[in-house]
Amino acid sequence: MSESRLIDTAAAREILRANDRDGHTVPTDGLYPFQWSWDSAITALGWQTFDEDRAWREAEVMFDGQWGNGMLPHILFHGGNADSYFPGPSVWGSRTRIPSSAISQPAIWATTLGMMLERAADRKLAETRLAPLVPKLVDYHRWWYRERDPDGTGLIVSYHPWESGMDNSPAWDKPLARVPEVEWTYERRDLGHVDSDQRPHKPEYDRYLYLVDFYKRHDFNSRVIYEECPYRVIDVALVALLHRASIDLLPLCAHFGITEGVEEVEAGISRTQAAIDRLWNDERRCFLSFDTRADEPLDVITTGTVLPLFAGLASDAQASAMLELIEEWLDASTVGLASTHPASPLYEPKRYWRGPIWSHINWMIALSAEAAGRPDIAERLQSDTRRLINEAGFWEYFDPDAVAGCGGDRFSWTAAVALYWLA
Ligand code: DGY
């Protein structure tokens, strides 16, 4: 059976090599021609399986683009050819040495770098390369708690659907609909690479761009943006992934003798632990994101809504409820796990984050299920992901009903997940 067939590791390595641009890996050629933060963090784990030096380089190049205030941008626009992607650095109003976007992405770096230290075959190399990155990780985490939770609620906020990494998730439909549309015209580049039925619609793009303009217009002033940004959402996945990464960061700080700023990270961890239950929804059997402008939960079950499992943020009862939900959800499509629950009227199996499967999310949920004592769910996710890659290829995402690849082909994080999790 195809799901038990071995993964083609030679093909996966070849994808990473082909997507290598002198120290950073593009997610896929064409559609995403620069360095994306969470793609890069996942991709480094794949590099580590066959080229440890190159894996550490991926992280070093990313952290070279860290802002002075600690923020790690979601895109670094290395090198020339800025016009190959829209919106490029001039639209963002970038003023940094390495041009960048002005928002971040899920903070998974401390988690993946911690795993890399643990898995390192060359321990000395790992120690040498990771040591200078740890204070940068601390600064990054402090930035999240300070700038995105200035009132100390325990729940950081997000200012853009792109910051979630789950850009077009139906969870963001309502808060995004309240954002004005830009009136200027522009040319989308994504539609030159991928079918429009697998990408966001124009009204969504008009609003994405309004937000990009908004930060620039307010000179990236974090207090003003916190108070006035029309889109301000508590994204439960962003909260959970930061929380898990903060917990993973503490032993790294202890190991490398870093103390500065660690108290702020510890305080952030405690505040989130105390606050997370505000997002729990008994009826839905998961946590829900929250629109702080409309003061209402975002009532859509997505793979993001169960990620508190990955962060150890769920009580035993909450964890069992979510695992039961995940089992039924797996049964609802040919292969799992669909990014939006197939029973939702908003489920679209091919469109970006509105239904397709992502391999790195399956990996996170499998790790969570295993830690919660459900290796059967973990194995099912693993064999489904293997089947998708074996039958369809190393695609950006997969249609859960048709068992087919969508979005960008020869995709770095899919190749990386195959190398470190499935091979
Ligand atoms: C895109 O261009 O779709 C990216 O996901 C934005 O980060």
Side-chain angles (χ1 to χ4, degrees):
M1 265 176 34
S2 56
E3 51 268 47
S4 58
R5 225 171 64 204
L6 289 180
I7 283 285
D8 186 348
T9 49
R13 289 175 184 192
E14 158 48 26
I15 288 170
L16 294 196
R17 287 200 192 96
N19 288 344
D20 185 2
R21 301 285 180 277
D22 199 19
H24 73 276
T25 317
V26 297
T28 182
D29 194 35
L31 180 63
Y32 303 127
F34 295 103
Q35 186 176 21
W36 265 257
S37 173
W38 80 324
D39 290 76
S40 193
I42 298 283
T43 300
L45 283 167
W47 276 114
Q48 198 192 23
T49 63
F50 66 103
D51 186 343
E52 297 204 338
D53 174 69
R54 179 60 187 77
W56 295 110
R57 184 89 194 109
E58 186 76 27
E60 289 160 354
V61 172
M62 187 73 219
F63 277 86
D64 255 2
Q66 184 169 29
W67 283 18
N69 66 0
M71 202 270 280
L72 194 63
H74 98 296
I75 309 175
L76 295 182
F77 299 103
H78 298 284
N81 207 13
D83 287 345
S84 57
Y85 174 79
F86 181 86
S90 62
V91 184
W92 285 97
S94 175
R95 293 190 224 121
T96 41
R97 183 176 54 84
I98 301 177
S100 77
S101 67
I103 53 170
S104 198
Q105 238 178 359
I108 58 174
W109 277 102
T111 299
T112 55
L113 289 172
M115 288 175 175
M116 280 165 58
L117 177 65
E118 230 169 75
R119 294 173 187 186
D122 188 339
R123 184 77 193 186
K124 190 154 168 269
L125 177 78
E127 300 265 350
T128 315
R129 305 290 283 276
L130 183 52
L133 291 172
V134 176
K136 298 181 185 189
L137 286 166
V138 175
D139 280 350
Y140 180 40
H141 285 236
R142 290 163 93 184
W143 170 82
W144 275 112
Y145 293 121
R146 186 184 66 239
E147 305 291 334
R148 297 310 187 85
D149 185 20
D151 297 328
T153 65
L155 301 171
I156 52 154
V157 294
S158 162
Y159 299 137
H160 202 296
W162 288 344
E163 203 151 47
S164 71
M166 306 182 181
D167 305 9
N168 202 22
S169 167
W172 320 138
D173 287 0
K174 273 197 182 174
L176 190 63
R178 272 187 285 101
V179 173
E181 297 175 18
V182 284
E183 280 163 15
W184 42 276
T185 54
Y186 56 91
E187 192 193 333
R188 280 174 67 172
R189 302 270 176 202
D190 58 327
L191 300 182
H193 300 285
V194 175
D195 277 357
S196 59
D197 66 351
Q198 297 174 19
R199 294 289 302 174
H201 297 286
K202 179 172 180 335
E204 284 139 22
Y205 248 82
D206 286 346
R207 295 180 168 106
Y208 295 155
L209 293 171
Y210 179 92
L211 292 169
V212 170
D213 270 349
F214 181 87
Y215 320 133
K216 195 168 47 175
R217 198 148 36 88
H218 292 287
D219 207 21
F220 312 108
N221 180 318
S222 49
R223 190 74 223 181
V224 175
I225 296 172
Y226 183 72
E227 271 153 22
E228 292 175 23
C229 185
Y231 181 98
R232 198 182 75 182
V233 161
I234 298 168
D235 165 2
V236 68
L238 211 59
V239 171
L241 294 175
L242 173 67
H243 188 77
R244 159 88 194 234
S246 288
I247 289 171
D248 292 334
L249 179 54
L250 297 180
L252 297 181
C253 292
H255 183 80
F256 290 99
I258 305 298
T259 50
E260 201 187 327
V262 172
E263 264 175 37
E264 282 166 60
V265 177
E266 286 168 338
I269 292 174
S270 306
R271 281 196 302 268
T272 303
Q273 262 154 358
I276 196 72
D277 273 348
R278 285 171 25 214
L279 303 181
W280 176 254
N281 187 296
D282 249 336
E283 200 188 321
R284 297 284 178 252
R285 292 180 290 166
C286 60
F287 294 85
L288 294 177
S289 293
F290 193 87
D291 182 353
T292 70
R293 294 300 183 215
D295 203 24
E296 64 181 19
L298 296 168
D299 192 3
V300 191
I301 302 175
T302 70
T303 39
T305 63
V306 291
L307 281 179
L309 268 178
F310 185 65
L313 275 167
S315 68
D316 288 350
Q318 288 165 341
S320 332
M322 283 191 280
L323 289 162
E324 195 180 276
L325 167 71
I326 290 169
E327 238 181 336
E328 293 166 18
W329 186 343
L330 280 165
D331 290 339
S333 52
T334 315
V335 277
L337 188 69
S339 49
T340 299
H341 196 298
S344 164
L346 301 170
Y347 171 69
E348 292 180 74
K350 281 191 187 2
R351 200 180 297 281
Y352 203 44
W353 290 103
R354 302 182 77 84
I357 300 163
W358 265 263
S359 61
H360 68 301
I361 301 289
N362 275 7
W363 165 67
M364 290 181 197
I365 297 177
L367 289 188
S368 316
E370 198 154 357
R374 290 297 306 269
D376 55 319
I377 294 183
E379 275 159 30
R380 195 166 162 189
L381 284 161
Q382 193 170 33
S383 94
D384 278 9
T385 314
R386 194 175 282 124
R387 173 175 171 191
L388 284 164
I389 294 176
N390 280 340
E391 285 186 20
F394 295 91
W395 286 87
E396 179 179 8
Y397 44 95
F398 300 90
D399 179 330
D401 299 326
V403 195
C406 304
D409 192 7
R410 295 171 59 75
F411 213 84
S412 295
W413 67 16
T414 312
V417 169
L419 286 168
Y420 71 75
W421 187 42
L422 304 176

